[in-house]
Amino acid sequence: MKIIETKKLTKYFLNGKVKALEGLDLEINESEIFGYIGPNGAGKSTTIRLLLDFVRPTSGTGQIFGLDINKKTTQIKKQIGYLPGEIYLPENMTGKECLNYFKSFKKNVDKKYLKELIDRFELSLNKRINEYSKGNKQKMAIILAMMHKPKLLILDEPTSGLDPLNQQTFYDLVLETKKWGTTTFFSTHLLNEAERICDHVGILREGKLIKIENIDTFREKNIREVILETKDTIPLSLLQHPNVKKIERTTTGYRLTTTGKNGAFLQSLDKHPIEDIKISEPSLEEIFMHYYGKKGESND
């Protein structure tokens, strides 16, 4: 069953002068965890606002649960858990008062599950919201989105402000909701976050969906930035390995963008004294430029 479906969904602002989203064709199935990846300004939040009928499309259509996102928005929202990118909570309420206030708008909140969420995030309910750290406000917002076991979770940068332990708690919870049929659509700019829990990822750049990838295929790309620190000059022929997509000379050695597994390539450099090797994720912009191409076409 299709939970989210859009056709040519488009949004321009300022009388058509600013493109936020263009021609989005998207299908997300029941129980799927879908990661919507892109740098800031790519159009991720605009997509979410369109799906939730906070803004109206310039053109195109969308459906959630088979219902028109603009004509049946009230009916749709009863079955959704939403976490916005910018969190606004009643600052003068205690955590307990905040939970009770939002719980009053929901039907059939499972008290046992709500307590489990609070305990797993180790969230104190006695403090006022204005005394909460950014991380605790984020935990509260996640609990509010999940407490009624919605059919669809729509989450905008859900782990922002969470420490690694609480990020893992969030990942575990989302994977658990999948087991009872919940669908999750969440935006992120963190590759490792998508790789951990998603079934598919949609890659967004400058308001256009570049590609939808199966997460196993995406993992196999293993797109990484490799920094080699060496005083030696390594012949270019050695660095021009099939897995190396970009080569830069630095003051301390070389910076490379690679895909796939790096073992064989690194072993080929064994005759050159390498002082240090650092391997990390490149920026999304680097990935788009050097893997998907300047205009978004895949370089497979």
Side-chain angles (χ1 to χ4, degrees):
M1 177 182 174
K2 295 174 186 175
I3 300 299
I4 295 176
E5 183 178 12
T6 68
K7 293 181 179 179
K8 304 300 179 186
L9 196 63
T10 297
K11 181 62 181 177
Y12 281 80
F13 292 101
L14 297 178
N15 296 319
K17 295 178 182 178
V18 177
K19 178 184 73 176
L21 189 70
E22 186 173 57
L24 179 66
D25 290 325
L26 192 61
E27 291 183 5
I28 301 175
N29 296 315
E30 187 174 13
S31 301
E32 185 173 350
I33 301 175
F34 189 93
Y36 203 43
I37 302 177
N40 292 333
K44 304 189 301 295
S45 294
T46 297
T47 302
I48 288 174
R49 292 183 185 119
L50 286 165
L51 291 174
L52 292 171
D53 196 36
F54 295 158
V55 295
R56 290 291 174 98
T58 304
S59 60
T61 61
Q63 292 187 336
I64 295 177
F65 312 126
L67 303 172
D68 187 281
I69 57 174
N70 301 131
K71 296 176 181 178
K72 300 290 184 179
T73 182
T74 301
Q75 189 175 342
I76 289 169
K77 286 174 183 173
K78 290 178 181 179
Q79 304 176 77
I80 287 179
Y82 169 54
L83 187 151
E86 298 289 335
I87 297 170
Y88 297 99
L89 298 171
E91 294 281 324
N92 290 324
M93 287 186 180
T94 64
K96 184 177 181 179
E97 290 169 341
C98 180
L99 273 177
N100 287 336
Y101 173 71
F102 284 99
K103 189 169 67 172
S104 69
F105 295 100
K106 306 293 183 184
K107 291 184 178 180
N108 304 318
V109 173
D110 184 332
K111 292 181 180 180
K112 184 178 179 181
Y113 182 61
L114 176 56
K115 184 179 185 305
E116 180 186 340
L117 291 173
I118 296 164
D119 290 345
R120 288 173 71 171
F121 278 119
E122 299 181 340
L123 182 64
S124 171
L125 300 182
N126 297 321
K127 291 182 178 179
R128 294 189 180 278
I129 299 298
N130 60 13
E131 296 174 345
Y132 274 6
S133 65
K134 176 176 172 55
N136 280 335
K137 288 179 180 178
Q138 193 73 14
K139 287 190 279 186
M140 174 62 81
I142 292 171
I143 291 170
L144 295 176
M146 300 183 75
M147 65 181 179
H148 55 303
K149 294 186 175 180
K151 290 184 180 180
L152 171 63
L153 283 167
I154 296 182
L155 312 172
D156 197 352
E157 303 282 356
T159 60
S160 175
L162 296 183
D163 62 40
L165 287 176
N166 284 301
Q167 286 178 15
Q168 187 58 54
T169 298
F170 167 77
Y171 301 143
D172 291 343
L173 286 167
V174 170
L175 289 169
E176 289 164 18
T177 67
K178 178 183 173 72
K179 295 176 183 177
W180 64 62
T182 293
T183 303
T184 299
F185 176 90
F186 76 96
S187 73
T188 183
H189 61 273
L190 303 174
L191 291 179
N192 64 350
E193 185 162 87
E195 289 173 348
R196 281 189 185 214
I197 63 172
C198 289
D199 300 302
H200 293 88
V201 292
I203 300 165
L204 194 71
R205 182 171 185 261
E206 295 179 356
K208 297 201 74 171
L209 186 65
I210 296 171
K211 196 170 185 181
I212 294 176
E213 295 266 27
N214 178 286
I215 197 61
D216 292 330
T217 304
F218 192 74
R219 284 194 191 104
E220 287 172 5
K221 297 185 191 312
N222 193 40
I223 306 164
R224 295 293 180 262
E225 182 177 80
V226 179
I227 296 176
L228 304 175
E229 292 189 5
T230 178
K231 295 177 182 175
D232 206 10
T233 299
I234 302 175
L236 195 60
S237 58
L238 273 183
L239 296 176
Q240 289 174 331
H241 189 274
N243 286 6
V244 177
K245 304 300 177 185
K246 180 184 177 184
I247 303 169
E248 280 184 70
R249 192 73 162 97
T250 68
T251 55
T252 58
Y254 300 86
R255 179 185 289 110
L256 314 172
T257 301
T258 68
T259 61
K261 295 182 179 180
N262 288 309
F265 164 63
L266 294 174
Q267 287 174 11
S268 71
L269 306 178
D270 62 353
K271 294 183 180 179
H272 296 271
I274 307 295
E275 296 175 7
D276 197 8
I277 298 175
K278 299 175 184 176
I279 300 177
S280 61
E281 291 180 353
S283 69
L284 285 176
E285 192 62 27
E286 283 286 303
I287 290 170
F288 294 147
M289 291 291 285
H290 301 290
Y291 187 80
Y292 291 102
K294 291 184 180 181
K295 295 182 179 180
E297 62 271 10
S298 177
N299 291 327
D300 284 340

